[in-house]
Amino acid sequence: MPYAQFISLSVPDGGSGKASTLASAHRAISSVGSREVHAWLALGERVFSQEEKPLHLKMMPSFPGDLLDPKKSHGDLLVQITGTSATAVRDASDRVLNELSCEVIWCVEGSRPDNRSEGGVGLSRNPFHFTEGYGNPAAEDEIYRRAIVQDGSGEPQWAVGGSYQVVRIVRLAVEFWERDPVSEQERILGRRRDGQWLDGTPATDRADFSTDPHGKLTSLDSHVRRAAPDPGSPPPMVRRSYNYHRPPDDQGVIFSCFQRDLRKGFEEVQRRLRGEAMEKYTLTTGGGYFFVPPPGDAWVYALSRNQD
């Protein structure tokens, strides 16, 4: 869906207060689903005891180059609502918040211009005018393999079927970017604006960087080459990002990704991106790490029992 709100909330301290709030939040989220609106809940590390916490969940660290604003970062609960229109999303958000006695820590609205699906992959246009979404899997079994926690992974049993969600509010220096010619922008990103690879490989296919070991066609410090140096073995995560614009001049991307293992997914990619050519155009100012519980309400009862 092309419109979204990300709402970070704080939960009252105390075991019974947390358990009650989680149950209320689950009910509120479950009540707004429709053809026009989808909603889900994700949990921050502070709502868990040490015994029940997902294995890799922690407060999102500040990576080199970040400038995290405490007013835009972290949270106990993340409510994400997506919809077919901005009005539908706002109405659903209001209904959810009216049912919860939680303080809003931060909230950001986003949209996906040129939102569409090609070959089962969701695409859109980011503020730098490039097509976003290529590299995500189309097949459900591959999405499951990359994003969903599976049995036998060492995670608490209640968490099996859930997913780690990373949200990053990334401000983009759009005016600075647009001073560069399109050819330089494409060199920095490592793809054409329409998604085609710089060596002519179609956007939907995987490039072969082994034929370009010195980066003559696709620069070694380009975004795509740093993020996925071997396109045949893509990072084990699934991305779904939105553009945001806060007048007059704060605009960028709400980067969101899902994975079964934070270290092998987002954090490994983030480590490789250090020193990329695009870093001077981006500044991460907020977001957080969260865990999306599995479908159904069994997780609510499991966590409530542990907090009684």
Side-chain angles (χ1 to χ4, degrees):
M1 293 189 176
Y3 298 92
Q5 270 197 18
F6 297 73
I7 308 167
S8 171
L9 305 167
S10 64
V11 170
D13 289 326
S16 60
K18 287 184 181 179
S20 175
T21 300
L22 291 180
S24 297
H26 176 65
R27 288 193 300 269
I29 287 293
S30 300
S31 70
V32 300
S34 69
R35 289 184 178 181
E36 294 184 345
V37 173
H38 293 166
W40 67 85
L41 185 69
L43 313 177
E45 59 121 14
R46 204 176 71 93
V47 304
F48 298 103
S49 68
Q50 193 60 39
E51 295 74 23
E52 68 198 10
K53 187 172 70 170
L55 192 61
H56 307 297
L57 189 61
K58 60 187 177 183
M59 184 173 289
M60 184 178 74
S62 181
F63 294 94
D66 290 358
L67 188 62
L68 297 183
D69 182 345
K71 296 180 180 179
K72 300 177 184 176
S73 305
H74 316 303
D76 299 331
L77 297 181
L78 179 74
V79 172
Q80 183 169 338
I81 299 177
T82 64
T84 56
S85 70
T87 299
V89 169
R90 290 172 189 146
D91 288 346
S93 299
D94 289 343
R95 295 200 302 273
V96 170
L97 292 178
N98 285 339
E99 295 186 37
L100 298 177
S101 56
C102 295
E103 179 184 356
V104 175
I105 301 175
W106 54 267
C107 176
V108 60
E109 288 191 356
S111 64
R112 289 172 57 85
D114 297 338
N115 185 63
R116 65 195 188 278
S117 178
E118 293 182 7
V121 175
L123 304 176
S124 64
R125 175 173 45 81
N126 66 33
F128 283 169
H129 312 295
F130 280 72
T131 300
E132 162 67 29
Y134 288 116
N136 273 334
E140 288 190 11
D141 60 343
E142 179 62 12
I143 294 173
Y144 180 87
R145 187 189 70 80
R146 293 192 198 183
I148 305 301
V149 170
Q150 300 175 24
D151 207 0
S153 59
E155 296 284 1
Q157 191 58 40
W158 72 265
V160 173
S163 183
Y164 289 91
Q165 181 176 7
V166 175
V167 177
R168 303 266 287 173
I169 303 171
V170 185
R171 185 168 183 171
L172 301 180
V174 176
E175 288 189 21
F176 186 33
W177 176 261
E178 291 182 344
R179 295 174 187 172
D180 292 332
V182 172
S183 59
E184 175 63 6
Q185 295 173 358
E186 293 176 337
R187 186 200 69 79
I188 291 169
L189 190 70
R191 283 188 187 251
R192 305 295 181 198
R193 280 189 170 187
D194 63 2
Q196 184 184 55
W197 296 95
L198 299 187
D199 65 359
T201 301
T204 53
D205 293 345
R206 291 175 176 173
D208 183 3
F209 293 149
S210 66
T211 63
D212 182 26
H214 303 296
K216 292 183 178 180
L217 293 175
T218 305
S219 176
L220 298 179
D221 65 354
S222 65
H223 179 75
V224 298
R225 195 145 185 176
R226 287 294 184 92
D230 178 8
S233 181
M237 64 184 194
V238 178
R239 295 171 287 113
R240 180 73 173 183
S241 299
Y242 292 80
N243 298 357
Y244 79 87
H245 186 198
R246 293 171 171 144
D249 59 357
D250 181 3
Q251 60 180 311
V253 169
I254 311 164
F255 172 86
S256 177
C257 68
F258 302 85
Q259 54 263 288
R260 56 192 292 188
D261 188 324
L262 274 171
R263 299 169 306 176
K264 296 179 180 178
F266 169 75
E267 290 191 342
E268 177 62 20
V269 172
Q270 191 67 20
R271 181 189 65 78
R272 289 197 298 260
L273 288 176
R274 294 177 188 173
E276 65 165 332
M278 199 166 70
E279 67 180 7
K280 65 181 180 180
Y281 302 91
T282 66
L283 178 66
T284 298
T285 61
Y289 284 176
F290 302 92
F291 189 84
V292 181
D297 56 9
W299 65 271
V300 178
Y301 298 110
L303 297 183
S304 297
R305 285 196 301 269
N306 291 336
Q307 292 177 357
D308 286 339

